[in-house]
Amino acid sequence: LPISQSEELRTKFGYVRTEVEEALVEGERLVLEGGGSVEGVIVSREGENFVVKTDGNLQVLPKIRVRSIETGIQIAALDVYSREEMYSLYAADADEASAEAQLELARKCESILDFAHAVEHYEAAIELGLADEREAERAGGALAASRVKAANQERSEEHTSELQSHSDLVCR
């Protein structure tokens, strides 16, 4: 199958590549007595417990259960924080009046698989006017791809929500 035809079919049926550079955060690996480990960001070391941010939640680990701590490890951001938390962090640092900052924010949104916000920020970057013509063309292409990804993501999330509702009814 020729590459151009393959890309056309992928787009037509909603299969758009989601390869983006995954957002990473620096964190710790707590190695537990008796085996196992917990990866995340230690948010508190006070008292008899460690409080670790992982999977979008806080986990309390008694210090006596921790054999060692490996610091400075790179962890997928979405394994620690929720998509909403990461977006809030990124958006707080972005200059709303800068096309380049909006473009960078759009790319960061893609790195956390937040395609709806990526669309908003690609649109803002284009509307504000990117200085580099090639960058503007790439932003236009990225915008089109992000629109498809956002639509696919929304359908997927709706489907997941429906399945969860049905599962809840069956479990009652």
Side-chain angles (χ1 to χ4, degrees):
L1 195 64
I3 292 174
S4 61
Q5 188 177 10
S6 172
E7 291 298 320
E8 182 182 325
L9 288 172
R10 284 179 191 205
T11 302
K12 179 179 178 181
F13 292 106
Y15 298 107
V16 178
R17 287 189 212 148
T18 58
E19 296 101 9
V20 292
E21 193 163 322
E22 183 174 33
L24 300 173
V25 294
E26 191 171 297
E28 295 85 17
R29 179 179 297 120
L30 289 80
V31 181
L32 306 177
E33 293 290 343
S37 65
V38 174
E39 290 184 353
V41 174
I42 297 174
V43 295
S44 175
R45 298 172 183 264
E46 295 179 23
E48 298 177 2
N49 300 309
F50 290 109
V51 179
V52 182
K53 179 84 169 164
T54 184
D55 295 325
N57 297 303
L58 295 175
Q59 184 173 349
V60 177
L61 292 169
K63 289 181 178 177
I64 60 171
R65 288 197 54 224
V66 178
R67 181 170 16 128
S68 64
I69 299 174
E70 299 171 23
T71 60
I73 65 168
Q74 295 294 304
I75 305 170
L78 294 177
D79 287 349
V80 178
Y81 300 103
S82 70
R83 190 184 311 156
E84 294 79 19
E85 288 173 309
M86 289 303 301
Y87 175 72
S88 294
L89 289 171
Y90 289 155
D93 291 337
D95 180 357
E96 293 180 15
S98 165
E100 287 72 21
Q102 291 299 304
L103 180 61
E104 181 63 26
L105 180 54
R107 290 175 176 153
K108 285 181 177 181
C109 288
E110 285 191 318
S111 77
I112 57 171
L113 307 178
D114 188 349
F115 300 113
H117 280 120
V119 167
E120 288 177 27
H121 296 291
Y122 278 124
E123 288 173 343
I126 292 167
E127 186 177 307
L128 288 167
L130 291 160
D132 184 327
E133 192 174 312
R134 275 187 281 174
E135 197 69 70
E137 285 179 31
R138 283 195 289 266
L143 171 59
S146 287
R147 282 182 174 145
V148 174
K149 292 174 190 177
N152 289 345
Q153 189 172 48
E154 184 178 349
R155 280 193 301 272
S156 174
E157 289 171 356
E158 287 172 0
H159 183 68
T160 300
S161 179
E162 287 175 24
L163 289 175
Q164 183 65 40
S165 295
H166 292 297
S167 173
D168 291 346
L169 289 174
V170 170
C171 291
R172 287 183 190 180

